[in-house]
Amino acid sequence: MNPILEATNLSKTFAGMRAVNDVHIELYTDRVTGIIGPNGAGKTTLVHLLTGHVQPDQGQIHFEGRDITRLSADQRVMGQVCRTFQVVDIFPRLTVFENIQIARITREAKNLRWFGGAAKEAREAVEAALEEVGMWGFRNRRAEQLSHGQQRRIDLAVTLATDPKLCFLDEPTSGVSPKERDQMLELIARLAEAKRTTFVLIEHDMEVIFNLCAHVICMHRGAILAEGTPDDIRANKEIKEIYLGEEV
Amino acid sequence: MGMSWRLVLPIVLILAFLVTVPIWGGRYPTYLTIQIMLLVVFALGFNLLLGYTGLLSFGQAGFFAVGAYVSALILLQVPSLLLGIVGGVLAAGLVALVLGYLSVRLTEIYFSMLTLSFGMMIYSLVWRWRAVTGGDDGLTGVPRAPLDLLVVSIDLSDVMNYYYFVLAVTVAAVFLMYRITKSPLGLTFQAIRDSATRAAFVGIPVRRYRLYAFVIAGLYAGLAGAMLAPLERTVTPIYSHWIYSAEPILATLIGGIYVFAGPIVGAVLFIGIKEIIVRLTEHWMIWMGGIVIVLVLGFRGGVVGTILGWLDKDQETARAEEEKPEAPGAKRQPEAGE
Ligand SMILES: Nc1ncnc2c1ncn2[C@@H]1O[C@H](COP(=O)(O)OP(=O)(O)OP(=O)(O)O)[C@@H](O)[C@H]1O
Ligand SMILES: [Mg+2]
């Protein structure tokens, strides 16, 4: 089986500091991949590189066999690689409904329609997406009026509305209440089960990673320290050490 | 879902008012109303950039001037109003396309500074290029040429007639802009305004859409300028000065940047207030500045935005009733103070 995404020799230096150092990564459609590692390990930067938010200093990225290294972020999204950010990033002044709708309008390449009303576009898809994340009742609120946990869900719904084949979630539960966290994880598990999208999950919580992911990559100082099944990772001495050394 | 009477009734009243201005108003109020309408067009274009796309341009007077000069130059050669206006609009759009292509690479204050520089370049070009622009004398004797529509030719040499031409064009321009803001294109602009990064990560090529907004704003500025030339019958470099760029900015800030009607109401207030204070004092700019500051600080979100906010409060409460949390953990957050 070919990887849906394969990156080779990826490196990125910020002001003399190698945030991502010669990384080789393969992602497959039949499993959820988890990326772990202590703060500053380079997890987010790696996702930035893979999704086109940041250009690599060197390396190649192939998605479904195509070289996407030079494609911009929006081109990659249209090619069905999407993500969420570690810090919620949605459209604060748009309504919840419009947040999803703009993703659908763009997916359907209707952004240039300049005369007909936007309100009637993609209604069914938006409805379905909002029901999926349990936010239908909030559709007419401006996104900035929601709680942080609700914003996280909208963030995820916006991302999914782009129809990604491959989707990176950068700490999707950070900063939400325990209850909302469980709901979010349940939702992600359900979506992963549906297999429309291949998920890559960045998380600090090992239990979450071991529950959701069939394959785990551990990063440390910009490089991949180890990868394998959750059991491999659990048994890995080196990983235990870096976690004990830098945080618990 | 048709338009509600709450929207239709005021529009009908305003239109009825506008149509009768030359009848009961006399020459000066008619002239003043034309000025207001031109600023409405100018400011609506400007606010597509600021309020809808999140780009603050300090150089819009440049496009206004291109519209004014090109329309004047055409009218001095060919006495066809339509040709003059269309020519001015297209020229402004073309210049906006070129300068916009360079400007939208930057954002925030850098974008603003670049548009300011381009505006200043147009200003000095207008000054220096005497052979074409007449330098500081400007272009004089611009005819208020007749409007040729297929078989009929309408004489507009009287301001009272020209008024109806400007009114028709302004109504069309406002309607068109309204449709744009409500369309998928308008939603795309607003998404970029709210978060350019997120916009890219739903698949929007952000720069390209910023350029579209810039060109539309340029076309509107050009339209306002092109209609000004036959009104004043002279075009001078002052229209390209950056101080002139401040007019749509102030009008928009007074009215409110996040409401469609903001720049419209703001233009009325701006010209109305200016008209009153120039009679009272020589230093009208100081007073105008003071009044704008009071309005902007007193009415957060602009005059229209604030009033709509008051009206909305009732509806908010009603809506809160209807929203029942679906998931057990999803409690509604208390209303953030607006
Ligand atoms: N834009 C930037 N400019 C400079 N340095 C950066 C930038 N982005 C990241 N870094 C640095 O690169 C290193 C890797 O950061 P990154 O955000 O990828 O880590 P992370 O594994 O996601 O950490 P966390 O778990 O805290 O989110 C850090 O030392 C960070 O300070
Ligand atoms: Mg991170």
Side-chain angles (χ1 to χ4, degrees), chain B residues 13-73:
Chain B
L13 289 177
I14 292 169
L15 282 179
F17 173 84
L18 286 173
V19 167
T20 57
V21 165
I23 298 166
W24 51 259
R27 294 194 89 76
Y28 191 67
T30 304
Y31 168 81
L32 209 61
T33 313
I34 295 179
Q35 290 282 3
I36 291 174
M37 291 192 286
L38 297 188
L39 186 55
V40 164
V41 172
F42 194 7
L44 274 179
F46 165 80
N47 197 43
L48 185 73
L49 271 182
L50 179 64
Y52 285 88
T53 318
L55 293 170
L56 173 57
S57 169
F58 285 136
Q60 293 308 99
F63 308 116
F64 184 94
V66 170
Y69 273 92
V70 171
S71 118
L73 285 168

Side-chain angles (χ1 to χ4, degrees), chain A residues 74 82-83 89 91-94 106 110-111 113-118 137 141-142 147 150 153 155 159 183, chain B residues 179 182-185 188 191 193-195 198 200-204 209 258 323 326 329-333 338:
Chain A
D74 54 276
C82 203
R83 68 171 300 175
D89 193 353
F91 305 111
R93 290 194 64 87
L94 300 190
T106 309
K110 290 176 177 167
N111 304 75
R113 297 191 175 186
W114 58 275
F115 198 75
R141 302 228 133 220
R142 280 214 303 274
S147 75
Q150 292 169 333
R153 277 196 265 168
D155 203 349
T159 295
Q183 285 176 0
Chain B
R179 298 304 314 199
K182 295 291 171 201
S183 72
L185 182 62
T188 305
R193 168 200 69 197
D194 275 9
S195 169
R198 214 352 157 166
F201 276 99
V202 297
I204 297 168
Y209 279 86
Y258 293 130
E323 285 168 0
E326 280 148 50
K331 292 233 180 61
R332 212 170 61 79
Q333 276 295 97
E338 273 169 274

Side-chain angles (χ1 to χ4, degrees), chain A residues 39-40 42-45 86 170-171 202 204:
Chain A
N39 290 110
K43 308 180 294 291
T44 296
T45 307
Q86 191 166 344
D170 195 348
E171 303 193 23
I202 297 183
H204 276 293

Side-chain angles (χ1 to χ4, degrees), chain A residues 3 58 62 118 180:
Chain A
Q58 62 169 59
H62 289 264
E180 286 176 322

Side-chain angles (χ1 to χ4, degrees), chain A residues 215-233:
Chain A
H215 187 77
V216 183
I217 294 172
C218 177
M219 289 187 74
H220 185 49
R221 298 199 175 135
I224 292 180
L225 183 71
E227 63 180 302
T229 63
D231 288 337
D232 297 340
I233 297 296

Side-chain angles (χ1 to χ4, degrees), chain B residues 4-333:
Chain B
S4 75
W5 63 268
R6 292 210 301 177
L7 202 57
V8 172
L9 192 63
I11 290 174
V12 169
L13 289 177
I14 292 169
L15 282 179
F17 173 84
L18 286 173
V19 167
T20 57
V21 165
I23 298 166
W24 51 259
R27 294 194 89 76
Y28 191 67
T30 304
Y31 168 81
L32 209 61
T33 313
I34 295 179
Q35 290 282 3
I36 291 174
M37 291 192 286
L38 297 188
L39 186 55
V40 164
V41 172
F42 194 7
L44 274 179
F46 165 80
N47 197 43
L48 185 73
L49 271 182
L50 179 64
Y52 285 88
T53 318
L55 293 170
L56 173 57
S57 169
F58 285 136
Q60 293 308 99
F63 308 116
F64 184 94
V66 170
Y69 273 92
V70 171
S71 118
L73 285 168
I74 292 174
L75 286 168
L76 285 168
Q77 299 299 319
V78 196
S80 159
L81 188 69
L82 221 48
L83 206 63
I85 304 284
V86 171
V89 172
L90 291 182
L94 204 64
V95 175
L97 182 67
V98 174
L99 298 187
Y101 180 79
L102 300 168
S103 305
V104 295
R105 302 172 167 267
L106 304 180
T107 55
E108 293 160 17
I109 191 70
Y110 306 101
F111 169 85
S112 304
M113 289 300 116
L114 200 56
T115 53
L116 179 62
S117 321
F118 283 137
M120 289 161 97
M121 278 166 58
I122 292 178
Y123 179 65
S124 31
L125 193 72
V126 166
W127 264 95
R128 297 283 163 73
W129 201 7
R130 284 200 85 90
V132 175
T133 64
D136 51 352
D137 297 333
L139 300 172
T140 51
V142 179
R144 228 173 264 148
L147 177 65
D148 297 311
L149 294 172
L150 298 175
V151 284
V152 285
S153 173
I154 305 168
D155 175 31
L156 297 177
S157 56
D158 188 343
V159 181
M160 306 301 236
N161 291 353
Y162 188 65
Y163 174 91
Y164 286 105
F165 172 73
V166 175
L167 176 60
V169 174
T170 302
V171 168
V174 171
F175 175 69
L176 212 61
M177 184 60 86
Y178 182 75
R179 298 304 314 199
I180 291 174
T181 61
K182 295 291 171 201
S183 72
L185 182 62
L187 193 62
T188 305
F189 292 150
Q190 292 171 69
I192 292 171
R193 168 200 69 197
D194 275 9
S195 169
T197 308
R198 214 352 157 166
F201 276 99
V202 297
I204 297 168
V206 171
R207 264 192 209 166
R208 194 186 312 159
Y209 279 86
R210 281 192 173 130
L211 179 59
Y212 294 156
F214 198 83
V215 171
I216 296 172
L219 290 169
Y220 269 66
L223 176 61
M227 291 195 290
L228 184 85
L231 175 70
E232 302 290 3
R233 322 203 52 171
T234 44
V235 182
T236 58
I238 182 66
Y239 298 126
S240 62
H241 194 271
W242 61 270
I243 286 190
Y244 210 71
S245 294
E247 294 214 348
I249 299 181
L250 295 180
T252 302
L253 288 181
I254 293 172
I257 70 171
Y258 293 130
V259 223
F260 180 77
I264 301 175
V265 175
V268 176
L269 289 174
F270 180 85
I271 291 192
I273 295 168
K274 181 170 145 188
E275 198 56 30
I276 293 167
I277 54 181
V278 286
R279 279 149 210 268
L280 304 177
T281 166
E282 266 176 58
H283 313 288
W284 71 271
M285 281 221 207
I286 296 177
W287 286 96
M288 191 74 209
I291 291 171
V292 169
I293 289 169
V294 169
L295 286 176
V296 169
L297 291 181
F299 293 85
R300 291 293 166 91
V303 173
V304 186
T306 306
I307 292 173
L308 284 182
W310 292 337
L311 296 178
D312 246 20
K313 273 282 172 279
D314 309 334
Q315 290 176 6
E316 288 278 303
T317 334
R319 196 161 58 196
E321 290 292 298
E322 160 200 336
E323 285 168 0
K324 297 268 156 41
E326 280 148 50
K331 292 233 180 61
R332 212 170 61 79
Q333 276 295 97

